[in-house]
Amino acid sequence: MERERAVGVMSALWSVGAGLLLLLLWVRHRGLEAVLVHHRWVFVCFFLMPLSILFDIYYHLRAWAVWRLHSAPRQHAQRVRHIQEQVREWKKEGSKRYMCTGRPGWLTVSLRVGKYKKTHKNIMINLMDVLEVDTERQVVRVEPLVSMGQLTAYLNPMGWTIPVVPELDDLTVGGLIMGTGIESSSHIYGLFQHTCVAYELVLADGSLVRCTPTENSDLFYAVPWSCGTLGFLVAAEIKMIPAKKYVKIQYKPVRGLQKICEKFTEESKKKENSFVEGLMYSLDEAVIMVGVLTDEAEQSKINRIGNYYKPWFFKHVETYLKADRTGVEYIPSRHYYHRHTRSIFWELQDIIPFGNNPVFRYLFGWMVPPKISLLKLTQGEAIRKLYEQHHVVQDMLVPMKSLEKSIQTFHVDLNVYPIWLCPFILPNNPGMVHPKGNETELYVDIGAYGEPKSKQFEARASMRQMEKFVRSVHGFQMLYADCYMTREEFWDMFDGSLYHKLREEMNCKDAFPEVYDKICKAARH
């Protein structure tokens, strides 16, 4: 019996070895670049997915050790002092170069790879821990590299969550504050920045400053969307709300663009809806989803959509549209918060075309998704150019009253589906992003991710046309994506008055680049 087992194991190892050898010979024959461009799934499935698992194991073990040892608060002050020392050293050296964080560009979720990392003074910021959970104030204090997956895993067992949990597991608190973040609860709570009550920053002179709506308030309102050009974020305090076990979600197929916009607007205005989201599968077909938090569930209707063998969420939603029926399900809360993570919304279908096949899901779904950071690191120049010219990843934030006109513009200029619709309330606070009037206004995030089918699509010209439209309706472009605006157009879209005032007062001009120079294609070299 033992001998038969040994023979079986050896046979399996020989089979795997032979398969890998054949794969390597095929790669050598086709050429590595050709495989990476035309058969990227081979590289992703055999290398990046296993590597992503190792990354996750490392970070989970580290987070567990930090939690068990209660070392985060003690080490935080020491790490912040080290950042201050680096900034003061930069000053002693004559402030000859701009500063930026030392985190490699490929580690960020943004598809943009900033070349400024090579020319700027890199300040090492190793801050990735949850520092304190204050249940009396209902606030959690965290370091900037804490991810959404890490934070929800930490808070949910305690019975807490944060009001706005942006979709992807790897999005970090720092990125969501310095850039922005949104979720289907944003029609109640606003953007991620609107759920924060305090920031702690190391400024250009090496000083440590805490800012809130009442203490250093100008800085508090100027930090969001500034992309790290006012100082280095070292901690943030975020509101918490009680967590519940499930989200009771209703799926509502709607046909006809006017009806879609009317229904989506109507549901977005209802505060009794904990969550509102829309997925458009064509110009006149959509599924609108509304959800409420609950601790009770009908057992027969529980759908653990986050389990690795389950269909991708956007494909699951589409079944309601194809069947032309409404439906109700109960999704465990954490599964709901990260419902688009496994398929990276629907981007993974372009990388692994068979990724939603039941066989693949059951055999390899536990390794999905590959880390976006690793996809960036290994994409190469050929894939980067291919994506830049034939692929879009854009989120445009427009007033809800302009929704129908905006979708028509997206259809003509891009023709990318599905389209993600996520409503949010935009208060009239100071800073780079606020409504045109003096009152809070309902906006919507229109997310387009994929290969444009529009025949006249040309990356630069088409995106400049989109940006012009968004400016005309007093909308905003998320800054993680490719931006083609001129400096004048950029500051026409965003309100730079407070931002520029603080850069002058805090001597940022020699310490950090202007946000436009950091993110816009026209300025980057």
mmCIF file with all atom_site columns, all heavy atoms in Angstrom, residues 244 246-250 271-275 290-296 329-331 333:
data_model
loop_
_atom_site.group_PDB
_atom_site.id
_atom_site.type_symbol
_atom_site.label_atom_id
_atom_site.label_alt_id
_atom_site.label_comp_id
_atom_site.label_asym_id
_atom_site.label_entity_id
_atom_site.label_seq_id
_atom_site.pdbx_PDB_ins_code
_atom_site.Cartn_x
_atom_site.Cartn_y
_atom_site.Cartn_z
_atom_site.occupancy
_atom_site.B_iso_or_equiv
_atom_site.pdbx_formal_charge
_atom_site.auth_seq_id
_atom_site.auth_comp_id
_atom_site.auth_asym_id
_atom_site.auth_atom_id
_atom_site.pdbx_PDB_model_num
ATOM 1   N N   . LYS A 1 244 ? -23.502 44.798 11.598 1.00 0.00 ? 244 LYS A N   1
ATOM 2   C CA  . LYS A 1 244 ? -24.549 43.778 11.660 1.00 0.00 ? 244 LYS A CA  1
ATOM 3   C C   . LYS A 1 244 ? -24.122 42.593 10.800 1.00 0.00 ? 244 LYS A C   1
ATOM 4   O O   . LYS A 1 244 ? -23.210 42.711 9.975  1.00 0.00 ? 244 LYS A O   1
ATOM 5   C CB  . LYS A 1 244 ? -25.891 44.362 11.216 1.00 0.00 ? 244 LYS A CB  1
ATOM 6   C CG  . LYS A 1 244 ? -26.391 45.434 12.186 1.00 0.00 ? 244 LYS A CG  1
ATOM 7   C CD  . LYS A 1 244 ? -27.840 45.810 11.935 1.00 0.00 ? 244 LYS A CD  1
ATOM 8   C CE  . LYS A 1 244 ? -28.310 46.814 12.989 1.00 0.00 ? 244 LYS A CE  1
ATOM 9   N NZ  . LYS A 1 244 ? -29.719 47.199 12.795 1.00 0.00 ? 244 LYS A NZ  1
ATOM 10  N N   . TYR A 1 246 ? -25.614 40.745 8.408  1.00 0.00 ? 246 TYR A N   1
ATOM 11  C CA  . TYR A 1 246 ? -25.973 40.565 7.004  1.00 0.00 ? 246 TYR A CA  1
ATOM 12  C C   . TYR A 1 246 ? -26.371 41.891 6.350  1.00 0.00 ? 246 TYR A C   1
ATOM 13  O O   . TYR A 1 246 ? -26.723 42.855 7.025  1.00 0.00 ? 246 TYR A O   1
ATOM 14  C CB  . TYR A 1 246 ? -27.152 39.592 6.860  1.00 0.00 ? 246 TYR A CB  1
ATOM 15  C CG  . TYR A 1 246 ? -26.909 38.227 7.420  1.00 0.00 ? 246 TYR A CG  1
ATOM 16  C CD1 . TYR A 1 246 ? -27.383 37.878 8.684  1.00 0.00 ? 246 TYR A CD1 1
ATOM 17  C CD2 . TYR A 1 246 ? -26.199 37.272 6.694  1.00 0.00 ? 246 TYR A CD2 1
ATOM 18  C CE1 . TYR A 1 246 ? -27.160 36.615 9.212  1.00 0.00 ? 246 TYR A CE1 1
ATOM 19  C CE2 . TYR A 1 246 ? -25.970 36.006 7.217  1.00 0.00 ? 246 TYR A CE2 1
ATOM 20  C CZ  . TYR A 1 246 ? -26.448 35.684 8.479  1.00 0.00 ? 246 TYR A CZ  1
ATOM 21  O OH  . TYR A 1 246 ? -26.219 34.438 8.991  1.00 0.00 ? 246 TYR A OH  1
ATOM 22  N N   . VAL A 1 247 ? -26.317 41.863 5.025  1.00 0.00 ? 247 VAL A N   1
ATOM 23  C CA  . VAL A 1 247 ? -26.943 42.912 4.221  1.00 0.00 ? 247 VAL A CA  1
ATOM 24  C C   . VAL A 1 247 ? -28.080 42.244 3.449  1.00 0.00 ? 247 VAL A C   1
ATOM 25  O O   . VAL A 1 247 ? -27.849 41.303 2.678  1.00 0.00 ? 247 VAL A O   1
ATOM 26  C CB  . VAL A 1 247 ? -25.943 43.555 3.243  1.00 0.00 ? 247 VAL A CB  1
ATOM 27  C CG1 . VAL A 1 247 ? -26.669 44.535 2.319  1.00 0.00 ? 247 VAL A CG1 1
ATOM 28  C CG2 . VAL A 1 247 ? -24.817 44.262 3.995  1.00 0.00 ? 247 VAL A CG2 1
ATOM 29  N N   . LYS A 1 248 ? -29.297 42.715 3.706  1.00 0.00 ? 248 LYS A N   1
ATOM 30  C CA  . LYS A 1 248 ? -30.447 42.225 2.935  1.00 0.00 ? 248 LYS A CA  1
ATOM 31  C C   . LYS A 1 248 ? -30.491 43.033 1.651  1.00 0.00 ? 248 LYS A C   1
ATOM 32  O O   . LYS A 1 248 ? -30.743 44.236 1.659  1.00 0.00 ? 248 LYS A O   1
ATOM 33  C CB  . LYS A 1 248 ? -31.744 42.414 3.726  1.00 0.00 ? 248 LYS A CB  1
ATOM 34  C CG  . LYS A 1 248 ? -32.977 41.920 2.971  1.00 0.00 ? 248 LYS A CG  1
ATOM 35  C CD  . LYS A 1 248 ? -34.258 42.207 3.760  1.00 0.00 ? 248 LYS A CD  1
ATOM 36  C CE  . LYS A 1 248 ? -35.486 41.742 2.991  1.00 0.00 ? 248 LYS A CE  1
ATOM 37  N NZ  . LYS A 1 248 ? -36.740 42.047 3.725  1.00 0.00 ? 248 LYS A NZ  1
ATOM 38  N N   . ILE A 1 249 ? -30.233 42.382 0.540  1.00 0.00 ? 249 ILE A N   1
ATOM 39  C CA  . ILE A 1 249 ? -30.088 43.089 -0.728 1.00 0.00 ? 249 ILE A CA  1
ATOM 40  C C   . ILE A 1 249 ? -31.222 42.710 -1.682 1.00 0.00 ? 249 ILE A C   1
ATOM 41  O O   . ILE A 1 249 ? -31.607 41.548 -1.783 1.00 0.00 ? 249 ILE A O   1
ATOM 42  C CB  . ILE A 1 249 ? -28.708 42.796 -1.361 1.00 0.00 ? 249 ILE A CB  1
ATOM 43  C CG1 . ILE A 1 249 ? -28.459 43.667 -2.588 1.00 0.00 ? 249 ILE A CG1 1
ATOM 44  C CG2 . ILE A 1 249 ? -28.523 41.340 -1.688 1.00 0.00 ? 249 ILE A CG2 1
ATOM 45  C CD1 . ILE A 1 249 ? -27.031 43.627 -3.086 1.00 0.00 ? 249 ILE A CD1 1
ATOM 46  N N   . GLN A 1 250 ? -31.770 43.727 -2.331 1.00 0.00 ? 250 GLN A N   1
ATOM 47  C CA  . GLN A 1 250 ? -32.820 43.530 -3.337 1.00 0.00 ? 250 GLN A CA  1
ATOM 48  C C   . GLN A 1 250 ? -32.258 43.857 -4.716 1.00 0.00 ? 250 GLN A C   1
ATOM 49  O O   . GLN A 1 250 ? -31.640 44.900 -4.906 1.00 0.00 ? 250 GLN A O   1
ATOM 50  C CB  . GLN A 1 250 ? -34.010 44.444 -3.053 1.00 0.00 ? 250 GLN A CB  1
ATOM 51  C CG  . GLN A 1 250 ? -34.701 44.192 -1.733 1.00 0.00 ? 250 GLN A CG  1
ATOM 52  C CD  . GLN A 1 250 ? -35.852 45.157 -1.520 1.00 0.00 ? 250 GLN A CD  1
ATOM 53  O OE1 . GLN A 1 250 ? -36.790 45.231 -2.317 1.00 0.00 ? 250 GLN A OE1 1
ATOM 54  N NE2 . GLN A 1 250 ? -35.788 45.912 -0.425 1.00 0.00 ? 250 GLN A NE2 1
ATOM 55  N N   . LYS A 1 271 ? -32.960 57.489 2.700  1.00 0.00 ? 271 LYS A N   1
ATOM 56  C CA  . LYS A 1 271 ? -31.989 57.254 3.764  1.00 0.00 ? 271 LYS A CA  1
ATOM 57  C C   . LYS A 1 271 ? -32.211 55.899 4.454  1.00 0.00 ? 271 LYS A C   1
ATOM 58  O O   . LYS A 1 271 ? -31.320 55.406 5.152  1.00 0.00 ? 271 LYS A O   1
ATOM 59  C CB  . LYS A 1 271 ? -32.063 58.379 4.807  1.00 0.00 ? 271 LYS A CB  1
ATOM 60  C CG  . LYS A 1 271 ? -31.747 59.766 4.252  1.00 0.00 ? 271 LYS A CG  1
ATOM 61  C CD  . LYS A 1 271 ? -30.367 59.838 3.632  1.00 0.00 ? 271 LYS A CD  1
ATOM 62  C CE  . LYS A 1 271 ? -30.070 61.238 3.109  1.00 0.00 ? 271 LYS A CE  1
ATOM 63  N NZ  . LYS A 1 271 ? -28.788 61.293 2.382  1.00 0.00 ? 271 LYS A NZ  1
ATOM 64  N N   . GLU A 1 272 ? -33.408 55.294 4.261  1.00 0.00 ? 272 GLU A N   1
ATOM 65  C CA  . GLU A 1 272 ? -33.630 53.980 4.867  1.00 0.00 ? 272 GLU A CA  1
ATOM 66  C C   . GLU A 1 272 ? -32.835 52.882 4.150  1.00 0.00 ? 272 GLU A C   1
ATOM 67  O O   . GLU A 1 272 ? -32.663 51.781 4.675  1.00 0.00 ? 272 GLU A O   1
ATOM 68  C CB  . GLU A 1 272 ? -35.120 53.610 4.875  1.00 0.00 ? 272 GLU A CB  1
ATOM 69  C CG  . GLU A 1 272 ? -35.768 53.539 3.504  1.00 0.00 ? 272 GLU A CG  1
ATOM 70  C CD  . GLU A 1 272 ? -36.444 54.850 3.110  1.00 0.00 ? 272 GLU A CD  1
ATOM 71  O OE1 . GLU A 1 272 ? -35.966 55.922 3.521  1.00 0.00 ? 272 GLU A OE1 1
ATOM 72  O OE2 . GLU A 1 272 ? -37.461 54.780 2.373  1.00 0.00 ? 272 GLU A OE2 1
ATOM 73  N N   . ASN A 1 273 ? -32.352 53.179 2.938  1.00 0.00 ? 273 ASN A N   1
ATOM 74  C CA  . ASN A 1 273 ? -31.467 52.244 2.238  1.00 0.00 ? 273 ASN A CA  1
ATOM 75  C C   . ASN A 1 273 ? -30.051 52.396 2.787  1.00 0.00 ? 273 ASN A C   1
ATOM 76  O O   . ASN A 1 273 ? -29.437 53.457 2.652  1.00 0.00 ? 273 ASN A O   1
ATOM 77  C CB  . ASN A 1 273 ? -31.457 52.528 0.730  1.00 0.00 ? 273 ASN A CB  1
ATOM 78  C CG  . ASN A 1 273 ? -32.759 52.145 0.052  1.00 0.00 ? 273 ASN A CG  1
ATOM 79  O OD1 . ASN A 1 273 ? -33.444 51.225 0.489  1.00 0.00 ? 273 ASN A OD1 1
ATOM 80  N ND2 . ASN A 1 273 ? -33.098 52.851 -1.023 1.00 0.00 ? 273 ASN A ND2 1
ATOM 81  N N   . SER A 1 274 ? -29.512 51.352 3.384  1.00 0.00 ? 274 SER A N   1
ATOM 82  C CA  . SER A 1 274 ? -28.130 51.412 3.870  1.00 0.00 ? 274 SER A CA  1
ATOM 83  C C   . SER A 1 274 ? -27.150 51.466 2.706  1.00 0.00 ? 274 SER A C   1
ATOM 84  O O   . SER A 1 274 ? -26.079 52.073 2.812  1.00 0.00 ? 274 SER A O   1
ATOM 85  C CB  . SER A 1 274 ? -27.806 50.187 4.733  1.00 0.00 ? 274 SER A CB  1
ATOM 86  O OG  . SER A 1 274 ? -28.724 50.043 5.792  1.00 0.00 ? 274 SER A OG  1
ATOM 87  N N   . PHE A 1 275 ? -27.519 50.816 1.589  1.00 0.00 ? 275 PHE A N   1
ATOM 88  C CA  . PHE A 1 275 ? -26.631 50.737 0.423  1.00 0.00 ? 275 PHE A CA  1
ATOM 89  C C   . PHE A 1 275 ? -27.446 50.903 -0.858 1.00 0.00 ? 275 PHE A C   1
ATOM 90  O O   . PHE A 1 275 ? -28.563 50.389 -0.954 1.00 0.00 ? 275 PHE A O   1
ATOM 91  C CB  . PHE A 1 275 ? -25.909 49.381 0.380  1.00 0.00 ? 275 PHE A CB  1
ATOM 92  C CG  . PHE A 1 275 ? -25.167 49.042 1.650  1.00 0.00 ? 275 PHE A CG  1
ATOM 93  C CD1 . PHE A 1 275 ? -25.757 48.217 2.605  1.00 0.00 ? 275 PHE A CD1 1
ATOM 94  C CD2 . PHE A 1 275 ? -23.907 49.557 1.891  1.00 0.00 ? 275 PHE A CD2 1
ATOM 95  C CE1 . PHE A 1 275 ? -25.089 47.902 3.782  1.00 0.00 ? 275 PHE A CE1 1
ATOM 96  C CE2 . PHE A 1 275 ? -23.236 49.256 3.066  1.00 0.00 ? 275 PHE A CE2 1
ATOM 97  C CZ  . PHE A 1 275 ? -23.823 48.429 4.008  1.00 0.00 ? 275 PHE A CZ  1
ATOM 98  N N   . VAL A 1 290 ? -30.459 47.667 -3.774 1.00 0.00 ? 290 VAL A N   1
ATOM 99  C CA  . VAL A 1 290 ? -30.568 48.404 -2.516 1.00 0.00 ? 290 VAL A CA  1
ATOM 100 C C   . VAL A 1 290 ? -30.424 47.398 -1.387 1.00 0.00 ? 290 VAL A C   1
ATOM 101 O O   . VAL A 1 290 ? -30.877 46.255 -1.485 1.00 0.00 ? 290 VAL A O   1
ATOM 102 C CB  . VAL A 1 290 ? -31.909 49.165 -2.401 1.00 0.00 ? 290 VAL A CB  1
ATOM 103 C CG1 . VAL A 1 290 ? -32.017 50.206 -3.504 1.00 0.00 ? 290 VAL A CG1 1
ATOM 104 C CG2 . VAL A 1 290 ? -33.100 48.218 -2.444 1.00 0.00 ? 290 VAL A CG2 1
ATOM 105 N N   . GLY A 1 291 ? -29.763 47.828 -0.320 1.00 0.00 ? 291 GLY A N   1
ATOM 106 C CA  . GLY A 1 291 ? -29.527 46.913 0.786  1.00 0.00 ? 291 GLY A CA  1
ATOM 107 C C   . GLY A 1 291 ? -29.733 47.577 2.131  1.00 0.00 ? 291 GLY A C   1
ATOM 108 O O   . GLY A 1 291 ? -29.599 48.799 2.259  1.00 0.00 ? 291 GLY A O   1
ATOM 109 N N   . VAL A 1 292 ? -30.063 46.782 3.123  1.00 0.00 ? 292 VAL A N   1
ATOM 110 C CA  . VAL A 1 292 ? -30.175 47.262 4.504  1.00 0.00 ? 292 VAL A CA  1
ATOM 111 C C   . VAL A 1 292 ? -29.415 46.303 5.406  1.00 0.00 ? 292 VAL A C   1
ATOM 112 O O   . VAL A 1 292 ? -29.406 45.088 5.184  1.00 0.00 ? 292 VAL A O   1
ATOM 113 C CB  . VAL A 1 292 ? -31.648 47.382 4.968  1.00 0.00 ? 292 VAL A CB  1
ATOM 114 C CG1 . VAL A 1 292 ? -32.363 48.477 4.201  1.00 0.00 ? 292 VAL A CG1 1
ATOM 115 C CG2 . VAL A 1 292 ? -32.374 46.058 4.818  1.00 0.00 ? 292 VAL A CG2 1
ATOM 116 N N   . LEU A 1 293 ? -28.766 46.855 6.433  1.00 0.00 ? 293 LEU A N   1
ATOM 117 C CA  . LEU A 1 293 ? -28.056 46.043 7.414  1.00 0.00 ? 293 LEU A CA  1
ATOM 118 C C   . LEU A 1 293 ? -29.052 45.353 8.345  1.00 0.00 ? 293 LEU A C   1
ATOM 119 O O   . LEU A 1 293 ? -30.040 45.955 8.754  1.00 0.00 ? 293 LEU A O   1
ATOM 120 C CB  . LEU A 1 293 ? -27.099 46.912 8.215  1.00 0.00 ? 293 LEU A CB  1
ATOM 121 C CG  . LEU A 1 293 ? -25.846 47.394 7.479  1.00 0.00 ? 293 LEU A CG  1
ATOM 122 C CD1 . LEU A 1 293 ? -25.209 48.565 8.206  1.00 0.00 ? 293 LEU A CD1 1
ATOM 123 C CD2 . LEU A 1 293 ? -24.843 46.255 7.311  1.00 0.00 ? 293 LEU A CD2 1
ATOM 124 N N   . THR A 1 294 ? -28.798 44.104 8.664  1.00 0.00 ? 294 THR A N   1
ATOM 125 C CA  . THR A 1 294 ? -29.705 43.356 9.536  1.00 0.00 ? 294 THR A CA  1
ATOM 126 C C   . THR A 1 294 ? -28.947 42.233 10.249 1.00 0.00 ? 294 THR A C   1
ATOM 127 O O   . THR A 1 294 ? -27.921 41.754 9.753  1.00 0.00 ? 294 THR A O   1
ATOM 128 C CB  . THR A 1 294 ? -30.879 42.754 8.726  1.00 0.00 ? 294 THR A CB  1
ATOM 129 O OG1 . THR A 1 294 ? -31.712 42.001 9.590  1.00 0.00 ? 294 THR A OG1 1
ATOM 130 C CG2 . THR A 1 294 ? -30.377 41.863 7.603  1.00 0.00 ? 294 THR A CG2 1
ATOM 131 N N   . ASP A 1 295 ? -29.462 41.831 11.395 1.00 0.00 ? 295 ASP A N   1
ATOM 132 C CA  . ASP A 1 295 ? -28.892 40.693 12.109 1.00 0.00 ? 295 ASP A CA  1
ATOM 133 C C   . ASP A 1 295 ? -29.697 39.412 11.873 1.00 0.00 ? 295 ASP A C   1
ATOM 134 O O   . ASP A 1 295 ? -29.270 38.327 12.267 1.00 0.00 ? 295 ASP A O   1
ATOM 135 C CB  . ASP A 1 295 ? -28.835 40.980 13.619 1.00 0.00 ? 295 ASP A CB  1
ATOM 136 C CG  . ASP A 1 295 ? -27.678 41.902 13.982 1.00 0.00 ? 295 ASP A CG  1
ATOM 137 O OD1 . ASP A 1 295 ? -26.588 41.756 13.384 1.00 0.00 ? 295 ASP A OD1 1
ATOM 138 O OD2 . ASP A 1 295 ? -27.860 42.782 14.846 1.00 0.00 ? 295 ASP A OD2 1
ATOM 139 N N   . GLU A 1 296 ? -30.861 39.554 11.235 1.00 0.00 ? 296 GLU A N   1
ATOM 140 C CA  . GLU A 1 296 ? -31.720 38.404 10.972 1.00 0.00 ? 296 GLU A CA  1
ATOM 141 C C   . GLU A 1 296 ? -31.686 38.059 9.489  1.00 0.00 ? 296 GLU A C   1
ATOM 142 O O   . GLU A 1 296 ? -31.582 38.943 8.644  1.00 0.00 ? 296 GLU A O   1
ATOM 143 C CB  . GLU A 1 296 ? -33.159 38.707 11.397 1.00 0.00 ? 296 GLU A CB  1
ATOM 144 C CG  . GLU A 1 296 ? -33.303 39.185 12.835 1.00 0.00 ? 296 GLU A CG  1
ATOM 145 C CD  . GLU A 1 296 ? -32.855 38.141 13.848 1.00 0.00 ? 296 GLU A CD  1
ATOM 146 O OE1 . GLU A 1 296 ? -33.043 36.939 13.563 1.00 0.00 ? 296 GLU A OE1 1
ATOM 147 O OE2 . GLU A 1 296 ? -32.322 38.528 14.901 1.00 0.00 ? 296 GLU A OE2 1
ATOM 148 N N   . GLU A 1 329 ? -31.727 38.610 -1.348 1.00 0.00 ? 329 GLU A N   1
ATOM 149 C CA  . GLU A 1 329 ? -30.732 37.726 -0.742 1.00 0.00 ? 329 GLU A CA  1
ATOM 150 C C   . GLU A 1 329 ? -30.203 38.360 0.536  1.00 0.00 ? 329 GLU A C   1
ATOM 151 O O   . GLU A 1 329 ? -30.317 39.582 0.733  1.00 0.00 ? 329 GLU A O   1
ATOM 152 C CB  . GLU A 1 329 ? -29.551 37.498 -1.699 1.00 0.00 ? 329 GLU A CB  1
ATOM 153 C CG  . GLU A 1 329 ? -29.857 36.622 -2.880 1.00 0.00 ? 329 GLU A CG  1
ATOM 154 C CD  . GLU A 1 329 ? -28.629 36.374 -3.734 1.00 0.00 ? 329 GLU A CD  1
ATOM 155 O OE1 . GLU A 1 329 ? -27.739 37.255 -3.810 1.00 0.00 ? 329 GLU A OE1 1
ATOM 156 O OE2 . GLU A 1 329 ? -28.556 35.295 -4.342 1.00 0.00 ? 329 GLU A OE2 1
ATOM 157 N N   . TYR A 1 330 ? -29.598 37.534 1.369  1.00 0.00 ? 330 TYR A N   1
ATOM 158 C CA  . TYR A 1 330 ? -28.904 38.004 2.572  1.00 0.00 ? 330 TYR A CA  1
ATOM 159 C C   . TYR A 1 330 ? -27.425 37.651 2.406  1.00 0.00 ? 330 TYR A C   1
ATOM 160 O O   . TYR A 1 330 ? -27.071 36.472 2.317  1.00 0.00 ? 330 TYR A O   1
ATOM 161 C CB  . TYR A 1 330 ? -29.476 37.331 3.818  1.00 0.00 ? 330 TYR A CB  1
ATOM 162 C CG  . TYR A 1 330 ? -30.911 37.723 4.107  1.00 0.00 ? 330 TYR A CG  1
ATOM 163 C CD1 . TYR A 1 330 ? -31.966 37.063 3.465  1.00 0.00 ? 330 TYR A CD1 1
ATOM 164 C CD2 . TYR A 1 330 ? -31.207 38.734 5.000  1.00 0.00 ? 330 TYR A CD2 1
ATOM 165 C CE1 . TYR A 1 330 ? -33.284 37.414 3.711  1.00 0.00 ? 330 TYR A CE1 1
ATOM 166 C CE2 . TYR A 1 330 ? -32.532 39.090 5.260  1.00 0.00 ? 330 TYR A CE2 1
ATOM 167 C CZ  . TYR A 1 330 ? -33.559 38.431 4.607  1.00 0.00 ? 330 TYR A CZ  1
ATOM 168 O OH  . TYR A 1 330 ? -34.863 38.783 4.860  1.00 0.00 ? 330 TYR A OH  1
ATOM 169 N N   . ILE A 1 331 ? -26.599 38.674 2.312  1.00 0.00 ? 331 ILE A N   1
ATOM 170 C CA  . ILE A 1 331 ? -25.165 38.478 2.113  1.00 0.00 ? 331 ILE A CA  1
ATOM 171 C C   . ILE A 1 331 ? -24.442 38.835 3.413  1.00 0.00 ? 331 ILE A C   1
ATOM 172 O O   . ILE A 1 331 ? -24.684 39.913 3.970  1.00 0.00 ? 331 ILE A O   1
ATOM 173 C CB  . ILE A 1 331 ? -24.647 39.351 0.957  1.00 0.00 ? 331 ILE A CB  1
ATOM 174 C CG1 . ILE A 1 331 ? -25.360 38.982 -0.351 1.00 0.00 ? 331 ILE A CG1 1
ATOM 175 C CG2 . ILE A 1 331 ? -23.141 39.216 0.794  1.00 0.00 ? 331 ILE A CG2 1
ATOM 176 C CD1 . ILE A 1 331 ? -24.940 39.824 -1.546 1.00 0.00 ? 331 ILE A CD1 1
ATOM 177 N N   . SER A 1 333 ? -22.096 40.514 5.912  1.00 0.00 ? 333 SER A N   1
ATOM 178 C CA  . SER A 1 333 ? -21.661 41.899 5.739  1.00 0.00 ? 333 SER A CA  1
ATOM 179 C C   . SER A 1 333 ? -20.278 42.025 5.124  1.00 0.00 ? 333 SER A C   1
ATOM 180 O O   . SER A 1 333 ? -20.076 42.796 4.180  1.00 0.00 ? 333 SER A O   1
ATOM 181 C CB  . SER A 1 333 ? -21.687 42.638 7.076  1.00 0.00 ? 333 SER A CB  1
ATOM 182 O OG  . SER A 1 333 ? -23.005 42.735 7.545  1.00 0.00 ? 333 SER A OG  1
#
